[in-house]
C-alpha cells in the first residue's frame, strides 16, 4: 500500500487526545446544531436504521454513535478503520464491550482485505459518518471510500453516513465562514463537495439510495446490489 499523501497525514493529525476529548460537545453538539444545522439525533437515527450485526466503521471518531445506536445483536462483529492511531485507541476503548477489531489504514487507498482482519464481501453494514468532508481530493478520488465499502459489504449490505457539503445544500453565513477556516487549515477538504457529486458516487455503486439534507449536511444510506441487480446509475 502506498504511503498516504501529506494532505491526508496533516488532516488526520488534528484529531489528538485533547481535541477528541471535546469532540462530542464542540462538534456533535454545538457545531452540528448551530452551525451545520444537523442535529446529532438525525445521525444517530441513521445508525439505528442501517447498522448490522457485522459492521465496519470508516473514521470512527470518538465512537459516539457506535456507543449509543444499539446493534441488532448483543455480540456484534465490529471493525474500526482509521489512519490515526489515537482515534483508534479512543474509539476502541469506548466500545471495548464489543471487542472491536482495529485496522490502521487509509480509506483513500484499497484496504488490506487479505491480512486476516478485514474480509471481502462479509459485512452487513459500513459506516462513514462525518468522514468525506475531511478527505482531500475530488469526488472521483473520494470515491475510493465507496469502492472499499463495496468490497467489504455482502450483497444487500448497507452503507450509511453523513458529510458536510459546500454547495447544492443550504449553507448559512456562519457555516460558510467556518468551512473557509477549516479548509484553509487542512481540516476540511470540501470546497468542491456538492450534493449532485455525492449522489453520482452513490449511483455508480449502490441501489436503494436515500439522501436526506439537514442544513448543509447530507445524510446518505444505500445498499450493495445483489447478484441480479445493477447500481442505480
Amino acid at each position: 500500500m502506498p504511503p498516504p499523501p501529506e494532505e491526508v497525514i496533516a488532516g488526520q493529525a488534528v484529531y489528538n487526545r485533547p481535541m477528541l476529548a471535546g469532540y462530542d460537545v464542540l462538534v456533535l453538539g454545538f457545531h452540528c446544531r448551530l452551525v451545520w444545522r444537523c442535529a446529532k439525533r438525525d445521525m444517530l437515527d441513521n445508525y439505528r436504521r442501517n447498522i448490522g450485526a457485522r459492521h465496519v466503521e470508516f473514521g470512527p471518531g470518538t465512537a459516539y454513535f457506535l456507543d449509543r445506536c444499539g446493534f441488532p445483536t448483543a455480540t456484534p462483529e465490529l471493525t474500526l478503520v482509521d489512519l490515526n492511531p489515537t482515534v483508534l485507541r479512543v474509539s476502541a476503548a469506548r466500545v471495548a464491550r464489543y471487542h472491536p477489531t482495529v485496522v490502521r489504514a487509509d480509506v483513500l487507498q484499497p484496504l488490506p482485505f487479505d491480512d486476516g482482519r478485514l474480509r471481502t464481501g462479509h459485512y452487513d453494514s459500513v459506516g462513514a459518518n462525518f468522514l468525506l468532508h475531511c478527505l482531500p481530493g475530488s469526488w472521483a478520488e473520494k470515491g475510493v471510500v465507496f469502492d472499499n465499502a463495496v468490497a467489504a459489504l455482502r450483497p444487500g449490505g448497507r452503507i450509511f453516513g453523513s458529510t458536510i457539503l459546500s454547495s447544492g445544500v443550504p449553507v448559512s453565513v456562519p457555516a460558510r465562514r467556518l468551512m473557509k477556516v477549516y479548509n484553509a487549515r487542512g481540516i476540511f477538504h470540501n470546497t468542491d463537495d456538492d450534493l449532485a457529486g455525492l449522489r453520482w458516487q452513490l449511483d455508480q455503486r449502490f441501489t436503494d439510495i436515500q439522501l436526506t439534507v439537514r442544513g448543509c449536511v447530507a445524510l446518505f444510506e444505500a445498499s450493495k446490489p445483489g447478484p441480479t441487480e445493477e447500481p442505480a446509475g
Side-chain angles (χ1 to χ4, degrees), residues 148-171:
N148 280 322
V150 170
L153 288 169
R154 63 166 175 78
R158 299 286 285 172
I159 182 171
F160 64 93
S162 63
T163 189
I164 299 168
L165 301 175
S166 63
S167 61
V169 294
V171 183

Side-chain angles (χ1 to χ4, degrees), residues 2 24 26 31 46 55 60 63 68 121-122 126 157 159 173 177-178 186 195 199 202:
D24 293 354
L26 178 64
H31 283 167
N46 204 17
H55 179 73
R68 286 167 167 76
H122 174 72
V126 170
I159 182 171
V173 172
R177 289 174 177 170
L178 190 57
L195 187 63
R199 178 77 199 209
L202 294 168

Side-chain angles (χ1 to χ4, degrees), residues 170-192:
V171 183
S172 66
V173 172
R176 183 74 64 195
R177 289 174 177 170
L178 190 57
M179 273 189 227
K180 184 176 181 180
V181 171
Y182 282 178
N183 276 282
R185 294 180 179 176
I187 299 170
F188 279 15
H189 297 275
N190 73 336
T191 302
D192 298 320

Side-chain angles (χ1 to χ4, degrees), residues 109-176:
Q109 303 290 338
L111 292 178
F113 285 104
D114 57 351
D115 73 348
R117 293 173 297 167
L118 282 170
R119 296 170 61 183
T120 304
H122 174 72
Y123 301 95
D124 300 310
S125 55
V126 170
N129 197 66
F130 265 29
L131 171 68
L132 295 168
H133 59 256
C134 296
L135 302 178
S138 64
W139 273 127
E141 292 164 308
K142 296 183 185 193
V144 175
V145 174
F146 296 119
D147 291 336
N148 280 322
V150 170
L153 288 169
R154 63 166 175 78
R158 299 286 285 172
I159 182 171
F160 64 93
S162 63
T163 189
I164 299 168
L165 301 175
S166 63
S167 61
V169 294
V171 183
S172 66
V173 172
R176 183 74 64 195

Side-chain angles (χ1 to χ4, degrees), residues 25-93:
V25 173
L26 178 64
V27 176
L28 299 181
F30 180 80
H31 283 167
C32 277
R33 182 167 58 90
L34 297 179
V35 181
W36 313 131
R37 305 290 178 87
C38 177
K40 60 187 176 184
R41 67 174 176 271
D42 291 323
M43 288 182 273
L44 183 58
D45 288 344
N46 204 17
Y47 274 78
R48 289 173 171 164
R49 281 193 303 273
N50 293 290
I51 203 159
R54 297 174 296 186
H55 179 73
V56 180
E57 188 79 358
F58 294 167
T62 64
Y64 176 90
F65 297 106
L66 294 173
D67 187 33
R68 286 167 167 76
C69 66
F71 287 83
T73 174
T75 56
E77 181 183 334
L78 176 60
T79 302
L80 310 176
V81 181
D82 203 284
L83 184 61
N84 187 320
T86 304
V87 168
L88 290 174
R89 283 193 293 269
V90 168
S91 59

